[in-house]
């Protein structure tokens, strides 16, 4: 973006998706959607254990909420 002569966030907003902390090492700091990694791991482990104990158990689908961490890479209105 910078090589094209554009500025973040004045010309272009940037949003990432992971929220694992890497977004804080850029300049400007990147807004990101943080995933609930610990809760995802817990849910997955529980599901695996349940399937090992009962292979006929149906697959489980679950959706966990993320969180938008606003940083310097988006411009406020």
């Amino acid at each position: 973006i910078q090589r094209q002569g554009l500025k973040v966030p004045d010309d272009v907003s940037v949003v990432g998706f992971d929220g694992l902390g890497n977004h804080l090492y850029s300049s400007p700091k990147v807004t990101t959607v943080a995933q609930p990694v610990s809760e995802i791991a817990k849910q997955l482990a529980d599901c695996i254990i349940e399937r090992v104990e009962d292979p006929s158990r149906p697959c489980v689908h679950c959706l966990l909420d993320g969180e938008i961490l606003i940083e310097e890479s988006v411009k406020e209105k």
Side-chain angles (χ1 to χ4, degrees):
I1 294 170
Q2 291 172 340
R3 280 188 251 148
Q4 295 297 317
L6 301 172
K7 294 182 182 176
V8 176
D10 296 331
D11 301 314
V12 177
S13 290
V14 176
V15 179
F17 187 83
D18 70 11
L20 299 176
N22 298 325
H23 65 290
L24 301 174
Y25 297 115
S26 63
S27 180
K29 294 177 183 172
V30 176
T31 295
T32 189
V33 178
Q35 300 178 75
V37 176
S38 294
E39 184 61 24
I40 291 170
K42 181 188 177 306
Q43 295 272 340
L44 180 58
D46 290 345
C47 184
I48 291 170
I49 291 168
E50 289 171 2
R51 290 292 301 266
V52 166
E53 291 173 347
D54 181 4
S56 66
R57 187 176 184 93
C59 292
V60 176
H61 300 275
C62 93
L63 182 62
L64 301 174
D65 291 331
E67 177 184 4
I68 297 176
L69 304 176
I70 304 292
E71 290 293 346
E72 303 162 345
S73 67
V74 295
K75 189 173 183 178
E76 293 185 33
K77 288 185 177 186

